[in-house]
Amino acid sequence: MSLRLRREPLPIALTDQAPSVAVPVRSLPQHLNRPQCPWILPPRSFPHRSDQTVSVKEEFLDDTDPFNSTNFPEPTRPPLYTFREDIPLINQIAGVHRLLKAPQKPDDCALQLSHNGSYLDLESTLAEQRDELEGFQEEGGGRGKKHSIILRTQLSVRVHACIEKLYNSTGRELRRALFSLKQIFQ
C-alpha cells in the first residue's frame, strides 16, 4: 500500500516584524501578531516627522585622528534615518553607525547637531531633549540646506587620543603634534 501525500499551499500572512518575508499563518505564534519590540517600525513611507518618529539626515565625521584637521562630514548626500522619539538614543546609535558605515567604534560614538554644534545626550530620548532640537527643523544656511545629525567620536575619546599621541611622540613628530594642537585651539 502506497501512501500519497497531498501538498496544499499554506495560507500566507505578512507580519509587522518582517514586511518582506512571508510566514505561514499556522506557524505564527499569538504573541508575534503585534510587534512587542518598540524599535521595530511598521512598514510605511518615511515622513519627516510623525507622532513617534523623526526622520533626519545623518552624516559622520571621521575624527578618529584628532590631529587631522581636514575632516568634512560624509557622505556628501546624507541618507535619512528615522529615530524613535520614545527610545533612548544609546539604543538607536548602532543603527545609525551601521547605515553610515562609520570608521569609529560604536561604543565611542556621539551625536552632534549640525545647526548649533550641541551634543545630544545618548542616555535620553529625543522627546526629552526638545529644547536642544529647537531650530533644527528649519532650513539651514539660507540655501535650502537641511540640518543633519553628525555621528562623531566622543570628546573624551578624542582628548585621550591627543594625550596619548603627545606622550608617545618625540622630536619632529612631537613638534608636529604640538603645532596641530595649537591650530586646534586658535
Side-chain angles (χ1 to χ4, degrees):
M1 172 168 134
S2 70
L3 184 63
R4 292 180 68 190
L5 295 176
R6 199 170 71 177
R7 292 185 118 181
E8 293 181 16
L10 292 173
I12 302 296
L14 294 178
T15 66
D16 286 340
Q17 284 80 8
S20 62
V21 177
V23 177
V25 172
R26 289 184 200 149
S27 68
L28 188 64
Q30 183 63 30
H31 69 278
L32 291 179
N33 285 339
R34 294 278 178 244
Q36 299 297 317
C37 304
W39 53 86
I40 297 176
L41 298 175
R44 57 184 150 82
S45 63
F46 282 90
H48 185 67
R49 184 178 179 90
S50 73
D51 57 340
Q52 291 286 321
T53 63
V54 177
S55 292
V56 297
K57 290 184 176 184
E58 274 294 331
E59 298 175 298
F60 74 90
L61 190 62
D62 186 2
D63 54 0
T64 52
D65 180 12
F67 294 102
N68 184 4
S69 62
T70 59
N71 292 332
F72 295 103
E74 299 176 34
T76 53
R77 291 180 177 254
L80 283 178
Y81 185 82
T82 303
F83 284 98
R84 289 285 305 256
E85 287 187 335
D86 57 339
I87 297 175
L89 293 173
I90 193 80
N91 296 343
Q92 302 181 64
I93 201 165
V96 175
H97 188 271
R98 191 173 29 255
L99 172 72
L100 295 173
K101 298 179 180 96
Q104 296 96 334
K105 296 177 185 173
D107 294 337
D108 294 344
C109 291
L111 295 174
Q112 183 181 27
L113 299 174
S114 65
H115 77 291
N116 63 5
S118 64
Y119 286 85
L120 293 173
D121 180 16
L122 298 181
E123 301 296 323
S124 302
T125 65
L126 282 178
E128 296 169 345
Q129 301 182 62
R130 289 203 194 280
D131 54 337
E132 292 291 329
L133 297 170
E134 189 98 11
F136 183 77
Q137 303 294 343
E138 284 98 35
E139 299 288 324
R143 294 174 283 162
K145 181 182 176 194
K146 295 254 185 204
H147 296 297
S148 63
I149 295 180
I150 300 170
L151 182 81
R152 61 180 311 171
T153 307
Q154 291 177 3
L155 185 58
S156 61
V157 174
R158 288 184 283 155
V159 168
H160 286 296
C162 288
I163 293 170
E164 188 174 324
K165 176 100 172 180
L166 292 172
Y167 275 139
N168 297 329
S169 300
T170 58
R172 176 179 265 177
E173 188 179 340
L174 179 60
R175 274 183 285 176
R176 283 186 186 153
L178 288 171
F179 182 74
S180 296
L181 204 55
K182 179 182 170 189
Q183 296 296 98
I184 291 170
F185 288 117
Q186 284 184 342

